[in-house]
């Protein structure tokens, strides 16, 4: 997961960044810290930055981008990172896009913490008053005067990034005037919605879903085997039944033929028996007739 948090000074970017780091195991990359680390490590980019910083000059964007490039190659940034303090301008955003494209990485989202500037000034004034009431010294960068200057710089330099990332469909806006807990929940909700992080429900039900799929697959296989076996058995029975029926038909036809032949033989014998009887009778009667004729003569 790779994120940028946008918002004016005092909007709570630092607090939310730390919560995201703790929750998702990613790293927060602060350009100030990275510059100091590069200078201390005396990397090639760090040495260039060191000379410029010693001369009181601003560090060019290409050097800052080079430091970021070296940093995100470190093993602890493999899971992702949150950029803090960069980009501040549209040219820096364009340079970052080119860097990520070169490394075959993509930015998941730019979260804008939208706040009311008047409310921010009121917070700073209240905090300064409470600090003085405790007898403590107010930090020089935590006064209404300094905040007004920083807000003006944000509007002129950084606010155009809202339009830049909105055009690229990377911008997600959260109401930064909610409580810290509410802002955290909303950030995590929208990151889950876009698929940048996995929801807890998905993590819990993932194994169950896989088990259900496995069970369904096994059941389907068993059912298919049983059905195939039943079909084969039915086919065999049908084949045996068909053969039996055929044999029966043949036997039936044979019986009819035999019966007809027998009847024919019987019918043929009847005239023969009649003729035999007539012949025998004629033989018996012939001598008697002849004697009668002689007697008369």
């Amino acid at each position: 997961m790779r994120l940028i948090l946008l918002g004016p000074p005092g909007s709570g970017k630092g607090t939310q960044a730390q919560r995201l780091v703790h929750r998702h195991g990613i790293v927060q990359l602060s350009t100030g810290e990275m510059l100091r680390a590069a200078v201390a490590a005396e990397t090639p980019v760090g040495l260039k930055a060191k000379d410029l910083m010693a001369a009181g000059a601003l560090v060019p964007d290409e050097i800052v981008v080079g430091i970021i490039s070296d940093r995100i190659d470190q093993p602890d940034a493999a899971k992702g990172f949150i950029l803090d303090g960069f980009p501040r301008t549209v040219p820096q955003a364009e340079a970052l896009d080119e860097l990520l494209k070169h490394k075959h990485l993509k930015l998941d989202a730019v979260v804008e913490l939208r706040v009311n500037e008047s409310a921010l000034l009121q917070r700073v004034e209240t905090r300064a008053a409470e600090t003085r009431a405790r007898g403590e010294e107010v930090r020089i960068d935590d006064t209404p005067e300094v905040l007004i200057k920083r807000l003006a710089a944000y509007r002129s330099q950084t606010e155009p990034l809202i339009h830049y990332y909105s055009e690229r469909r990377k911008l997600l806006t959260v109401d930064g005037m909610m409580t810290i807990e509410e802002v955290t929940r909303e950030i995590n909700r929208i990151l889950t919605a876009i698929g940048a992080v996995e929801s807890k429900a998905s993590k819990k039900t993932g194994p169950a879903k896989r088990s259900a799929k496995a069970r369904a697959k096994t059941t389907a296989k068993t059912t298919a085997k049983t059905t195939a076996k039943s079909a084969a058995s039915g086919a065999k029975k049908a084949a045996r039944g068909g053969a039996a029926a055929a044999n029966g038909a043949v036997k039936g036809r044979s019986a009819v033929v035999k019966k007809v032949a027998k009847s024919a033989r019987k019918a043929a014998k009847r005239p023969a028996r009649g003729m035999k009887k007539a012949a025998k009778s004629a033989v018996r009667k012939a001598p008697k007739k002849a004697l009668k004729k002689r007697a008369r003569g």
Side-chain angles (χ1 to χ4, degrees):
M1 180 171 63
R2 289 166 285 276
L3 302 175
I4 292 174
L5 292 183
L6 277 183
S11 60
K13 297 190 301 296
T15 299
Q16 296 303 327
Q18 284 300 313
R19 287 180 168 228
L20 287 165
V21 165
H22 179 72
R23 183 183 180 92
H24 300 294
I26 56 180
V27 294
Q28 182 180 4
L29 305 183
S30 166
T31 50
E33 291 179 3
M34 286 188 289
L35 275 170
R36 289 189 289 273
V39 169
E42 296 186 341
T43 64
V45 178
L47 292 174
K48 290 180 183 179
K50 181 179 180 180
D51 294 337
L52 292 167
M53 291 166 68
L58 290 174
V59 179
D61 290 349
E62 59 267 23
I63 291 180
V64 177
V65 170
I67 290 172
I68 292 173
S69 177
D70 291 344
R71 182 65 184 85
I72 63 179
D73 287 338
Q74 298 301 312
D76 63 342
K79 282 188 176 181
F81 53 81
I82 301 173
L83 279 170
D84 176 16
F86 190 92
R88 292 183 185 274
T89 64
V90 170
Q92 288 180 350
E94 292 172 341
L96 177 64
D97 286 346
E98 285 298 317
L99 170 65
L100 294 177
K101 183 179 178 181
H102 178 72
K103 291 182 178 292
H104 304 290
L105 300 175
K106 73 178 183 70
L107 195 64
D108 290 298
V110 177
V111 180
E112 178 204 3
L113 299 180
R114 188 164 292 179
V115 295
N116 184 306
E117 291 187 6
S118 299
L120 288 182
L121 286 168
Q122 184 62 46
R123 285 180 186 177
V124 172
E125 289 173 355
T126 301
R127 189 161 57 242
E130 291 174 349
T131 302
R132 292 191 190 95
R134 292 194 301 267
E136 299 174 1
E137 187 176 350
V138 178
R139 278 169 39 192
I140 194 170
D141 61 343
D142 197 22
T143 62
E145 294 77 18
V146 172
L147 180 58
I148 289 171
K149 291 180 181 178
R150 293 177 67 192
L151 287 173
Y154 175 81
R155 283 193 299 271
S156 64
Q157 296 179 10
T158 309
E159 205 166 55
L161 290 175
I162 294 172
H163 179 68
Y164 178 86
Y165 285 117
S166 178
E167 280 189 331
R168 285 154 181 77
R169 298 183 180 181
K170 294 291 184 182
L171 187 72
L172 304 171
T173 301
V174 175
D175 181 6
M177 299 308 296
M178 296 188 293
T179 65
I180 292 173
E181 290 296 334
E182 288 172 336
V183 172
T184 300
R185 282 197 296 271
E186 181 62 10
I187 290 174
N188 281 301
R189 185 191 69 78
I190 60 177
L191 291 178
T192 301
I194 66 170
V197 296
E198 187 178 0
S199 67
K200 288 184 177 181
S202 297
K203 290 179 180 178
K204 287 180 180 179
T205 59
K209 284 182 179 178
R210 285 193 293 272
S211 297
K213 285 182 180 178
R215 287 195 297 272
K217 193 173 181 181
T218 301
T219 303
K221 283 184 177 179
T222 304
T223 303
K225 286 181 179 178
T226 304
T227 303
K229 194 172 181 180
S230 298
S233 177
K236 287 181 179 179
K237 287 180 180 178
R240 287 198 295 270
N247 290 335
V250 171
K251 287 178 179 178
R253 285 195 297 272
S254 299
V256 170
V257 170
K258 286 179 179 179
K259 191 172 183 180
V260 171
K262 189 175 181 181
S263 297
R265 285 196 298 271
K266 284 181 179 180
K269 287 178 180 179
R270 285 190 198 110
R273 284 198 296 269
M275 291 176 69
K276 284 181 178 180
K277 285 182 180 180
K280 286 180 180 180
S281 177
V283 169
R284 285 194 303 270
K285 291 178 178 180
K288 290 179 178 179
K289 287 181 176 180
L291 290 172
K292 284 180 180 182
K293 284 180 177 182
R294 284 177 185 173
R296 286 175 190 159

